[in-house]
Amino acid sequence: MSGKKHLIYNPEKECMSRDEMHAWQSAKLAETVRREYENVPMYRARMDAKGVKPEDIRTVEDLKYLPFMEKTDLRDYYPFDLLASPRSEIVRIHGSSGTTGKPIVSGYTRNDVDVWSEMMARTLTAAGCTKDDVVQVAYGFGLFTGGFGAYQGADKIGAMVVPMSSGNTQRQIMMMQDLGATMLCCTPSYATYLGETIREMGLAPGKDIKLKAGCFGAEPWSEAMRVRIEELLGIDACDIYGLTELGGPGVAFNCLEKDGMHINEDHVIAEIIDPATGEQLPYGEKGELVFTSITKTGMPMLRYRTHDICSLTDKPCACGRSTIRMSRITGRTDDMLIIRGVNVFPSQIETVLVKTQGVAPHYMLVVDRVNNSDTLEVQVEMTEEMFSDTVGQIENVRRYITEQIKSVVGISAKVTLNAPKSMPRSEGKAKRIIDNRKL
Ligand code: AMP
Ligand code: ZN
């Protein structure tokens, strides 16, 4: 237990008994399936093909009879053919990158915007936010859900919102100081960059910078990265998870125990499946995360395959919430790299790099195929001290990283140490992989 004080936005919902939750989820699921069957021809056809009728779905256990939905469905039925409400009821559109050049889009009713705001209010409260806080939102505002999600949640709490959007780092830091921001919302890669810049400017967290906590997500990050951000900024760094198809950020969130992310189960039902067979897996086992939205009305998602890999647990949490938790996302079923037959998750390499003295966590993985054999190059930036190395440590650091990757991931990689500040900085989601094999 962390011994931290836990704030809960909606105890009635977040702490309900498991029996109450089961009854609530079952009723909402049945309602959503009926709505979908009546309004979305594509899903009706898919249920008919499986011989499943809406009245067959009565409890959470019946979920397994329903057909899956995929990101490709959002592409194939782009932009509005998955709407389960009339077009006139849609008040917002958000989007995210699809499997082709076009984005995938989701339509929100007023209800959906409210549900999402509630989920984000819970998320921020769990990180310690109250109406007395100043919340700096450095997620991008636009089709991407990060900026609006954080704004809506903080607004619902009644905190003072500073909607900076991403980028313009010097200005971010100036406003952070001038307005006394206490909470920060952005991607973990941008939090790292902000933290480093703050340190370089000679500003002291706790004195010049008043931040106490941050909600960071929208991209994979490691536990080591989380600890580094906490040190750099002197804050509690909480992981938050979400995806456009389910509304956006706030689907699940860390409480201050930071031991898994509480799922907003009164709004979504989570399952873990074996990605190869589609069979449900028990709590504790790693597999593909599948979500069913049970309160969304604009574009409900039934058994939506996220391709994100994690596990679930129903072990009690010290914060008092009764909701199940999902582990950190350890990779994806689709862009997991397979290099010389070995499954490689960028997060494994990130953990090695963050733990290594002398390099900064700005890196790129370059995969290629030379003479029919896959190659992996790990490019990482040296710190200033290492770069001006006078005692000949650089070669040792390079060798150390190579050995660590070999032992953790199981494959040999070429490690390239780049000069400080030479690699691209990210203000939104970081791009960490260049796979030249696909070209
Ligand atoms: P988007 O809808 O564009 O915001 O992308 C959603 C995807 O971002 C998810 O399916 C995950 O792959 C990734 N993502 C979001 N939050 C997290 C997080 N906290 N940790 C790891 N991956 C995340
Ligand atoms: Zn908790």
Side-chain angles (χ1 to χ4, degrees), residues 71 95-97 144-145 216-221 239-245 261 306 308 329 332 429:
K71 205 179 195 105
S96 121
S97 53
F144 172 57
T145 54
F216 307 120
E219 66 183 7
W221 53 318
D239 196 0
I240 78 172
Y241 173 87
L243 57 162
T244 311
E245 297 86 323
M261 291 179 270
T306 64
D308 292 323
I329 302 289
R332 288 187 50 86
K429 293 192 192 224

Side-chain angles (χ1 to χ4, degrees), residues 255 262 317 319:
C255 65
H262 288 278
C317 181
C319 71

Side-chain angles (χ1 to χ4, degrees), residues 241-259:
Y241 173 87
L243 57 162
T244 311
E245 297 86 323
L246 288 170
V251 169
F253 56 85
N254 269 160
C255 65
L256 287 176
E257 297 295 317
K258 299 168 206 159
D259 182 15

